[in-house]
């Protein structure tokens, strides 16, 4: 196995700027320069997006930004000892020790275990002190390799290896001999194992109170294991038997059910859904973000036991569907708006694969079988085969073989698209009530289709089914009935109530509303259609993959199945949304090609990739630009995308494919006009962003002259633009762009 860290990946006492994003970019560049990543920008964007979800600063002046992405070619650790320290969101202040963990998308478990072991080591005060005292890069490498168990210390053996991932003592058992007391205490909580004989255990005649905990973060590399270790160590110090399960990237070893049954309370320190949450049904619990497990482990254990002691303390419903209560404040619930956004986006994210596959297959069916293939498809697939090709088909089909293959593709796509509303409703209900909500959600979605309630009916029905299932699951059922609740009783009752309401009360009015909306959209021509295009275009560019972008895209996708030769408006909306979404990355790519000197080296590299991303309708290709300069990039992108949206609607361009950009040209009618609209919007956005970067920086002609005369050297760039941050290579500086406090690297 190759080394995770080398001296070339260590930077000591470096000034890497004042923003966490600048430090992440510098470390990503360092990893890329060593040939361990094929795109520094891709790695940085993934790590910054992770940072925006949950800051990676932890107590003790440490930060662990991390990412798992295809941009990484070899698992790597890059370490920087910062001077001055930089705020990474820890409660106790900025971080001076930053470890960036970079893992490939398909990293092997052996590498991931080593990465998680490093994260665990960072909760050890002696290890952190040694890092701060190190005088050379090689000394840091030696310390890290020792912590990873890949070489022995000269004074003592780090004899205790980390327990299998997910075991209760995984963190504490990895402690060095100097932390033997903590290790012994945590070892007592191994699932099903007897506690190691210690003085404390021997003197205690009573059973220790037991708390079981699950930790998980989105990437499953660092915070997952640090939180588990912190909870295990805190339990040892408090005299509480803490058993932890880490649901991370290097594997999961579930806690034995007998241990769960004997536990007094549960702590969920998670940023993602807990796997098999039904195991903990009926237990008192607290649920917090994974970072809270690192920041205040003793407080969480205390709160969990308080819930157990309180007569009306929170118990996990039999539906194992308690809403995600993660927040920076600990146990406070989501706001209503945040909750609705989360469950609706859950439904959309699960629905999109049905639509993407189905839409592309239908488009392929039209290509092979002609635009009248819907009239023949069902008869052809049921009555013919490759050995009995059809004789009756449309004039535009590519012969008998084309007609047959086109009918097959169209029919598969049509069937896939028929799940659209049901999948949307089912997974909205899942987002509210977990697995017991899926069956009621799918059922009410199917009823909405039958009633003609469409997309709106699917949303309302999914919310209804989810909340009913969640409500039923909140009942304190007898123990003998709990096993039947999530698989029989909740789906049965929730399906009956929600679908019954859709049939008898809601379906008719929603159907009338849907038909009215369809008629209004179909009647849109001329100026009204252009205005709709302008609005949709702006929505696609304003947050580049965020909630507003998803609303516009979902609106287009939802209507795709309703499009036809007689009613092409839904197809026109799809073409509008796709064309507008292509503009921001293409505009940034063009801008970096035309005036490369006003962009950082990282942005220039990202601009090369943005050509392909934009052409494929991946709006996120513009995120690195918007994250570093939102006040100029976003307005420019919105203007260009709006113009493109207005043009495609004015030209009545249609697309029967929900994704793919120029690569699904066969599914786009008037493809040349589609391209013209994209090109015009791209030119407008590129010109605007260049003008804003050149003129707004210093103002007027002076700013233009300064930009034109700017030297390519990093020193001159630093002098003319103000603060700079190291890019990770000697002699090169990167412009420190102002970042809005509202900027979200996962959205803008």
């Amino acid at each position: 196995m190759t080394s995770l860290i080398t001296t070339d990946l260590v930077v000591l006492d470096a000034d890497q700027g004042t923003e966490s994003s600048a430090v992440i970019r510098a470390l990503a560049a360092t990893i890329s320069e060593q040939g361990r990543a094929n795109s520094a920008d891709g790695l940085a964007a993934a790590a910054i997006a992770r940072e925006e979800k949950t800051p990676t600063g932890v107590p003790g002046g440490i930060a662990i930004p991390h990412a798992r992405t295809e941009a990484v070619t070899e698992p790597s650790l890059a370490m920087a000892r910062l001077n001055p320290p930089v705020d990474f969101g820890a409660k106790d202040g900025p971080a001076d020790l930053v470890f960036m963990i970079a893992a490939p998308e398909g990293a092997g478990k052996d590498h991931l275990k080593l990465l998680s072991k490093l994260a665990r080591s960072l909760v050890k005060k002696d290890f952190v002190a040694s890092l701060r005292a190190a005088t050379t890069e090689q000394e840091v490498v030696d310390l890290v390799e020792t912590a990873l168990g890949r070489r022995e210390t000269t004074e003592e053996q780090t004899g205790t290896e980390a327990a299998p991932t997910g075991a209760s003592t995984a963190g504490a058992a990895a402690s060095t001999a100097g932390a033997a007391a903590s290790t012994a205490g945590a070892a007592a909580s191994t699932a099903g194992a007897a506690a190691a004989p210690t003085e404390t255990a021997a003197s205690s005649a009573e059973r220790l109170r037991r708390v079981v905990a699950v930790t998980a973060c989105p990437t499953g590399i660092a915070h997952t294991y640090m939180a588990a270790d912190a909870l295990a160590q805190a339990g040892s110090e408090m005299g509480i038997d803490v058993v932890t399960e880490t649901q991370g990237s290097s594997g999961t070893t579930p806690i034995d059910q007998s241990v769960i049954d004997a536990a007094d309370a549960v702590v969920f320190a998670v940023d993602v859904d807990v796997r098999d949450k039904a195991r903990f049904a009926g237990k008192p619990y607290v649920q917090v973000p994974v970072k809270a497990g690192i920041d205040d482990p003793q407080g969480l254990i205390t709160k969990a036991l308080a819930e157990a002691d309180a007569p009306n303390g929170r118990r996990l419903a039999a539906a194992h569907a308690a809403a995600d209560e993660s927040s920076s404040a600990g146990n406070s619930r989501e706001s209503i708006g945040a909750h609705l956004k989360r469950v609706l986006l859950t439904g959309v994210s699960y629905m999109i694969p049905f639509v993407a596959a189905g839409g592309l297959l239908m488009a392929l069916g039209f290509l092979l079988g002609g635009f009248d293939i819907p009239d023949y498809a069902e008869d052809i697939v049921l009555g013919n085969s490759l050995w009995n090709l059809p004789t009756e088909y449309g004039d535009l089909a590519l012969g008998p073989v084309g007609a047959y293959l086109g009918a097959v593709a169209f029919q598969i796509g049509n069937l896939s698209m028929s799940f659209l509303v049901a999948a949307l409703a089912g997974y909205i209900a899942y987002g509210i009530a977990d697995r017991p909500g899926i069956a009621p959600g799918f059922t009410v979605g199917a009823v909405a289709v039958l009633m003609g309630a469409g997309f709106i009916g699917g949303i309302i029905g999914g919310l209804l089914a989810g909340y009913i299932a969640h409500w039923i699951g909140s009942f304190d059922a007898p123990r003998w009935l709990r096993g039947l609740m999530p698989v029989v009783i909740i789906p049965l009752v929730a399906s009956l109530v929600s679908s019954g309401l859709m049939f008898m009360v809601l379906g008719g009015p929603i159907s009338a509303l849907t038909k009215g909306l369809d008629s209004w959209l179909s009647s849109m021509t001329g100026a009204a259609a252009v205005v709709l295009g302008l609005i949709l275009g702006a929505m696609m560019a304003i947050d580049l993959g965020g909630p507003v972008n998803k609303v516009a895209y979902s609106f287009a996708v939802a209507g795709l199945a309703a499009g036809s030769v007689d009613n092409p408006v839904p197809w026109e909306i799809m073409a509008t949304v796709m064309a507008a979404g292509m503009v921001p990355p293409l505009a940034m790519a063009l801008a970096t090609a035309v005036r490369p000197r006003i962009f950082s080296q990282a942005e220039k590299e990202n601009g090369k990739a943005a050509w392909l991303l934009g052409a494929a309708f991946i709006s996120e290709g513009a995120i690195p630009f918007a994250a570093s300069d939102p006040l100029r990039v976003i307005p420019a992108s919105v203007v260009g995308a709006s113009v493109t949206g207005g043009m495609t609607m004015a030209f009545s361009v249609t697309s029967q494919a929900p994704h793919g950009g120029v690569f699904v040209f066969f599914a786009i009618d008037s493809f040349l006009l589609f391209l013209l609209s994209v090109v015009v919007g791209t030119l407008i956005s590129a010109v605007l962003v260049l003008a804003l970067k050149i003129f707004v920086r210093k103002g007027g002609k002076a700013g233009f002259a300064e930009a034109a005369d700017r030297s390519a050297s990093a020193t001159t760039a630093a002098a003319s633009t103000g603060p700079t941050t190291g890019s990770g290579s000697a002699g090169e500086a990167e412009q420190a762009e102002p970042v809005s406090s509202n900027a979200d690297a996962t959205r803008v």
Side-chain angles (χ1 to χ4, degrees):
M1 188 184 298
T2 58
S3 178
L4 292 171
I5 186 169
T6 66
T7 55
D8 293 326
L9 295 174
V10 178
V11 181
L12 297 181
D13 304 317
D15 181 353
Q16 294 194 325
T18 59
E19 298 286 340
S20 60
S21 58
V23 177
I24 290 172
R25 290 191 184 95
L27 290 175
T30 299
I31 293 171
S32 179
E33 287 163 5
Q34 299 307 312
R36 292 169 172 260
N38 55 33
S39 170
D41 291 333
L43 171 56
I48 290 172
R50 172 65 185 86
E51 193 74 25
E52 291 290 336
K53 290 178 181 177
T54 307
T56 58
V58 296
I62 302 166
I64 315 173
H66 52 277
R68 187 167 56 170
T69 170
E70 294 178 354
V72 178
T73 57
E74 184 178 346
S76 303
L77 302 172
M79 180 267 191
R81 194 167 66 195
L82 301 178
N83 185 16
V86 174
D87 183 14
F88 273 80
K91 292 182 179 179
D92 62 345
D96 64 330
L97 292 179
V98 179
F99 271 94
M100 183 167 181
I101 300 177
E105 190 64 44
K109 288 189 176 181
D110 289 340
H111 276 120
L112 290 172
K113 285 180 180 179
L114 288 175
L115 293 172
S116 62
K117 189 183 289 187
L118 169 75
R120 290 179 147 133
S121 297
L122 291 173
V123 301
K124 304 173 188 174
K125 295 180 180 179
D126 54 346
F127 176 65
V128 173
S130 298
L131 290 174
R132 289 198 170 99
T135 57
T136 65
E137 289 83 355
Q138 186 60 52
E139 190 175 347
V140 171
V141 172
D142 292 341
L143 287 167
V144 172
E145 292 280 4
T146 300
L148 295 178
R150 304 187 71 175
R151 64 177 70 175
E152 297 179 350
T153 62
T154 56
E155 298 179 1
E156 61 184 7
Q157 302 292 327
T158 53
T160 357
E161 283 292 318
T165 303
S168 61
T169 58
S175 301
T176 58
S182 294
T183 305
S189 58
T190 302
T198 64
E199 292 182 7
T200 302
S203 63
S204 176
E206 298 181 1
R207 181 186 72 84
L208 293 175
R209 299 201 74 181
R210 173 175 291 169
V211 172
V212 293
V214 178
T215 62
C217 68
T219 53
I221 296 175
H223 285 67
T224 299
Y225 303 97
M226 294 182 72
D229 281 5
L231 287 164
Q233 185 169 339
S236 176
E237 294 170 356
M238 299 168 67
I240 305 296
D241 186 12
V242 176
V243 185
T244 65
E245 176 181 312
T246 52
Q247 297 188 354
S249 295
S250 56
T252 298
T253 302
I255 300 173
D256 189 89
Q257 188 62 45
S258 63
V259 177
I260 297 173
D261 292 341
D264 296 287
V266 183
V267 171
F268 296 116
V270 295
D271 288 334
V272 295
D273 290 339
V274 176
R275 302 171 199 165
D276 297 325
K277 204 172 184 179
R279 297 174 292 157
F280 305 93
K283 288 293 179 183
Y285 78 105
V286 294
Q287 182 163 330
V288 294
V290 67
K291 194 167 182 291
I294 303 171
D295 293 342
D296 187 21
Q298 291 192 358
L300 290 183
I301 294 171
T302 301
K303 288 179 181 177
L305 292 175
E307 293 290 346
D309 295 336
N312 297 319
R314 183 184 294 109
R315 300 296 191 272
L316 188 65
H320 56 89
D324 236 348
E325 296 175 325
S326 301
S327 72
S328 59
N331 240 4
S332 59
R333 293 183 178 273
E334 289 177 305
S335 67
I336 294 176
H339 172 71
L340 285 175
K341 183 182 78 172
R342 177 176 62 81
V343 299
L344 290 174
L345 289 181
T346 297
V348 170
S349 66
Y350 281 103
M351 174 194 75
I352 285 175
F354 289 94
V355 181
L360 288 170
L361 285 168
M362 290 178 69
L364 183 60
F366 281 115
L367 175 67
L368 297 174
F371 279 96
D372 52 358
I373 192 64
D375 299 333
Y376 300 90
E378 186 173 350
D379 291 337
I380 289 175
V381 296
L382 294 178
N384 299 98
S385 67
L386 284 173
W387 299 271
N388 178 28
L389 294 174
T391 56
E392 295 184 7
Y393 48 84
D395 296 335
L396 298 177
L398 301 180
V401 174
Y404 179 72
L405 295 178
V408 170
F410 177 86
Q411 204 62 21
I412 295 172
N414 192 41
L415 291 171
S416 177
M417 292 286 285
S418 69
F419 285 101
L420 188 155
V421 174
L424 176 66
Y427 287 108
I428 287 175
Y430 168 75
I432 298 169
D434 211 319
R435 283 183 293 181
I438 293 179
F442 267 83
T443 303
V444 76
V447 173
V449 173
L450 181 63
M451 296 290 290
F455 182 59
I456 299 174
I459 292 176
I460 295 175
L463 292 171
L464 189 63
Y467 286 121
I468 291 173
H470 182 273
W471 175 65
I472 298 170
S474 67
F475 295 164
D476 189 11
R479 187 176 184 82
W480 60 269
L481 190 59
R482 290 175 188 168
L484 291 176
M485 289 290 286
V487 295
V488 177
I489 296 174
I490 295 174
L492 172 64
V493 178
S495 296
L496 179 62
V497 175
S498 59
S499 296
L501 287 173
M502 183 62 68
F503 266 126
M504 297 184 287
V505 180
L506 299 173
I510 297 174
S511 176
L513 175 63
T514 300
K515 290 176 182 177
L517 179 61
D518 289 342
S519 299
W520 174 64
L521 289 174
S522 300
S523 66
M524 275 192 163
T525 57
V530 172
V531 170
L532 178 62
L534 291 170
I535 294 172
L536 291 173
M539 293 175 70
M540 290 301 295
I542 199 164
D543 60 359
L544 302 175
V548 178
N549 173 287
K550 287 292 190 293
V551 167
Y553 181 68
S554 300
F555 173 65
V557 164
L560 197 58
S564 66
V565 176
D566 296 328
N567 177 28
V569 173
W571 293 346
E572 292 173 7
I573 292 173
M574 189 72 252
T576 296
V577 164
M578 185 153 61
M582 294 166 62
V583 167
L586 290 175
M588 297 306 107
L590 178 61
T592 56
V594 172
R595 300 287 295 180
R597 285 181 294 179
I598 68 173
F599 292 92
S600 69
Q601 182 62 35
E603 288 174 323
K604 285 185 283 188
E605 290 299 319
N606 189 72
K608 298 174 183 177
W611 286 112
L612 180 60
L613 295 175
F617 179 37
I618 301 176
S619 304
E620 288 82 354
I623 284 178
F625 298 91
S628 63
D629 192 5
L631 298 181
R632 281 174 278 213
V633 171
I634 291 178
S637 298
V638 167
V639 173
S642 296
V643 172
T644 294
M647 290 180 64
T648 54
M649 287 300 290
F651 292 146
S652 298
V653 177
T654 64
S655 172
Q656 296 167 43
H659 214 290
V662 298
F663 299 103
V664 290
F665 62 91
F666 57 85
I668 300 174
D669 186 38
S670 303
F671 182 63
L672 292 179
L673 291 175
F674 177 87
L675 281 182
L676 175 63
S677 302
V678 172
V679 168
V680 170
T682 299
L683 289 172
I684 290 173
S685 287
V687 170
L688 280 176
V689 78
L690 289 175
L692 289 171
K693 282 182 174 289
I694 292 171
F695 285 93
V696 175
R697 186 181 307 281
K698 291 291 185 179
K701 295 181 179 179
F704 183 88
E706 179 184 82
D709 296 334
R710 185 177 300 160
S711 167
S713 71
T715 304
T716 305
S720 62
T721 60
T724 61
T725 59
S727 67
S729 59
E732 181 179 346
E734 178 178 335
Q735 178 181 313
E737 294 283 3
V739 179
S740 166
S741 60
N742 295 323
D744 183 344
T746 67
R747 294 176 49 224
V748 295

